[in-house]
Amino acid sequence: YQKVNAEYLIEKDAALMIENQNLEDNMCTTVLSLFNEPQRLDAMRKNMAALAKPDAAAEISRLLEESAAAHK
């Protein structure tokens, strides 16, 4: 599911993906290009922040507790 999650973030313009087989050749170039495009990096940062679910763990826990209580 790692690739599925990455693809979702890419669709939302919140991330880039470098395939494992291209990592060694492309990682430095990709990172440096982002440093040279601060507007793009800032847009990605904002898009990622918009997708954030800071209370996700607490919400999942609450839902599991409710489900467990309903099935007693």
Side-chain angles (χ1 to χ4, degrees), residues 40-67:
R40 183 175 184 200
L41 188 58
D42 189 52
M44 290 173 70
R45 183 181 302 113
K46 288 176 182 173
N47 292 338
M48 183 65 80
L51 296 170
K53 306 265 189 229
D55 297 327
E59 180 65 13
I60 290 169
S61 175
R62 184 187 65 74
L63 291 170
L64 289 171
E65 288 175 356
E66 286 178 7
S67 179

Side-chain angles (χ1 to χ4, degrees), residues 3 13 19 21-24 35 40 42 52 59 67 71:
K3 187 173 181 180
D13 197 27
E19 298 283 349
Q21 66 269 20
N22 301 321
L23 192 59
E24 188 174 332
F35 285 138
R40 183 175 184 200
D42 189 52
E59 180 65 13
S67 179
H71 291 89

